[in-house]
Amino acid sequence: MMHSHIHRMLTTIGALMLATTVAADSIQLRRKVRLDHDHTDIRLRDIATLDGTDALRLGSLIVATRDDPFATIEIDVADVFERLDAAGAHWGLINLSGQRVVVRPSQVSRLAAPVAMKPISIENPTTSPTAVGGVGATIDIPTAADLLKSKTLRAVIADRLIAFYRVEPADLRLSFKSQDEAVLDMDARTHEFIVQNKRSERSESLLLHVGVIRDNARINEFSIGVTPTIRVDACTTIDAVRAGQTIRSDDVRTESMWVTPQQRGLLLSAAECIGHEPARSLRKAQPIRRDDIKRPTLMHRGDTVTIQCIVGDMIMTMPAVARGKGKRGDTIEFNLQNHREPFYARIETERLAVVDAQTMQVQIALQTARKD
């Protein structure tokens, strides 16, 4: 009965996703492009044909960065999908298609010797232009704790996002657009607000839909853009640490820094670093990310494990078989028993992986893009 319940739920989600893509905007990845050597930041419009208002609005999104402008790199649809999802792309309004894009240097740049394809990489969180400050930052952006003191819509939004990100009020900063100041000043004592957020927890910016109710009647509705940053205590090297050297407590220190929601999930605490070996040599004063540390393999192909499926406030469990191997935090393929269609879930322990309804929607959209 549990299996059929999950299967019906996934089938319904899939049908809804397919139905919403009929009249969707189009992002069609090109197969090959050439860019000048000074074109280090690769934007969506550089590698894709965009059709529709929502697709064109995402054209300036940086989807990859070339460390070597004379090298050839390959960008997979999964990489593009991840960047779009983090930017808050509405998958009910946008249809992504194509498989991969090969980015080569321009004809003028071909004087340089050919270089093997290089994978794209996420920027260092302390140098990302979207990060707000760092240690000792002086940018005056209010925290959620400050906003809660007001009796306005700002306090309502702050309260919602504190719960959304599961952080303390003093550890969340919210930056609003200047054109929204007037509506943000609306009095919460005389109005009721319905605040909805459709974007992922990893999105670097949010678009909140706000309904205004007074005297039991909806009198207005509008959208508000919010850019959140979160304070984290990140483990940072004091001096360089060589690959193969066990990280000791005197090799690292804890630094407080403000980062984007996406970067928050990449950084480790000191407790997660000490006693482990780095996967590669670490520089001095480098914040340590998850992929900088060697992690033991917890799950192997063929293992029978428990899948937790989170749908709102409800958690359902079911047995599944791993189709690959992975470490804690990795996302790998699984099969439900008696079902051939694979799905992805995140490894938590040796016998437990987790997937939620929102992630399942993303998977269905990605599978549709790959098929197209």
Side-chain angles (χ1 to χ4, degrees):
M1 179 177 180
M2 186 66 70
H3 292 175
S4 60
H5 189 181
I6 293 293
H7 185 62
R8 286 197 302 272
M9 180 194 72
L10 300 185
T11 302
T12 301
I13 293 175
L16 289 173
M17 291 297 298
L18 290 173
T20 56
T21 59
V22 172
D25 288 2
S26 171
I27 299 176
Q28 171 68 52
L29 297 185
R30 301 171 184 170
R31 295 180 59 189
K32 300 177 183 178
V33 297
R34 290 190 181 276
L35 299 177
D36 294 335
H37 70 277
D38 58 349
H39 209 121
T40 55
D41 288 337
I42 302 174
R43 302 181 184 275
L44 182 63
R45 60 173 173 258
D46 298 326
I47 64 168
T49 301
L50 309 178
D51 181 26
T53 303
D54 288 283
L56 291 169
R57 190 179 293 120
L58 292 164
S60 61
L61 177 69
I62 297 175
V63 294
T65 301
R66 292 191 295 181
D67 296 328
D68 183 352
F70 298 103
T72 296
I73 67 171
E74 184 177 279
I75 304 174
D76 189 82
V77 64
D79 299 317
V80 177
F81 192 95
E82 182 177 346
R83 294 301 177 95
L84 287 169
D85 188 53
H90 192 314
W91 297 112
L93 301 177
I94 296 173
N95 184 27
L96 173 65
S97 59
Q99 294 185 346
R100 62 185 58 84
V101 184
V102 177
V103 181
R104 303 181 186 277
S106 66
Q107 296 286 349
V108 176
S109 302
R110 285 174 57 185
L111 295 174
V115 182
M117 288 187 178
K118 296 183 177 181
I120 63 173
S121 59
I122 297 176
E123 304 85 356
N124 186 308
T126 59
T127 60
S128 170
T130 55
V132 179
V135 179
T138 58
I139 300 175
D140 186 19
I141 296 177
T143 66
D146 299 325
L147 299 175
L148 287 175
K149 299 174 185 177
S150 71
K151 303 296 183 182
T152 65
L153 174 57
R154 290 183 180 85
V156 177
I157 292 175
D159 184 61
R160 299 288 194 280
L161 296 186
I162 288 168
F164 180 65
Y165 289 113
R166 299 179 296 278
V167 295
E168 294 297 323
D171 293 334
L172 177 64
R173 282 176 171 172
L174 300 175
S175 176
F176 299 97
K177 295 180 180 179
S178 57
Q179 60 263 36
D180 292 330
E181 291 297 318
V183 295
L184 289 167
D185 286 333
M186 295 183 69
D187 197 328
R189 292 168 295 186
T190 57
H191 299 81
E192 180 182 351
F193 301 103
I194 301 175
V195 180
Q196 296 179 314
N197 169 42
K198 300 285 187 180
R199 293 190 175 175
S200 163
E201 188 178 323
R202 295 186 304 161
S203 300
E204 295 193 0
S205 63
L206 302 177
L207 186 64
L208 305 179
H209 299 280
V210 180
V212 184
I213 297 175
R214 187 171 60 190
D215 299 330
N216 297 321
R218 184 181 288 256
I219 61 172
N220 202 353
E221 59 183 36
F222 41 79
S223 297
I224 294 180
V226 185
T227 301
T229 49
I230 300 170
R231 179 162 52 194
V232 299
D233 291 330
C235 181
T236 306
T237 57
I238 297 174
D239 291 305
V241 180
R242 298 188 307 275
Q245 173 186 338
T246 301
I247 299 175
R248 303 169 302 177
S249 59
D250 54 358
D251 292 326
V252 295
R253 63 170 174 262
T254 297
E255 289 192 20
S256 179
M257 59 184 65
W258 292 93
V259 299
T260 66
Q262 185 180 30
Q263 294 162 351
R264 174 198 188 192
L266 301 176
L267 297 174
L268 296 179
S269 65
E272 294 173 296
C273 297
I274 296 172
H276 295 274
E277 291 184 14
R280 60 190 67 83
S281 295
L282 304 176
R283 302 185 306 274
K284 178 181 179 179
Q286 175 183 337
I288 302 178
R289 301 173 299 180
R290 294 195 179 277
D291 59 0
D292 290 328
I293 298 296
K294 289 184 178 180
R295 295 169 293 156
T297 299
L298 296 181
M299 205 169 285
H300 297 81
R301 182 179 180 87
D303 286 352
T304 300
V305 303
T306 297
I307 301 293
Q308 282 188 348
C309 185
I310 304 171
V311 185
D313 296 330
M314 181 173 58
I315 298 178
M316 294 177 287
T317 62
M318 54 198 158
V321 178
R323 295 188 54 173
K325 66 179 182 179
K327 305 166 185 177
R328 186 177 186 274
D330 288 348
T331 299
I332 66 171
E333 279 191 347
F334 295 87
N335 277 116
L336 291 179
Q337 293 182 349
N338 302 321
H339 289 281
R340 297 179 59 185
E341 189 69 23
F343 66 96
Y344 289 89
R346 185 182 67 254
I347 299 174
E348 292 293 329
T349 67
E350 290 182 338
R351 290 290 179 264
L352 177 66
V354 176
V355 65
D356 58 39
Q358 185 175 16
T359 301
M360 186 62 67
Q361 291 182 22
V362 171
Q363 292 182 34
I364 293 169
L366 181 55
Q367 288 173 3
T368 301
R370 287 187 183 280
K371 291 177 181 178
D372 289 344

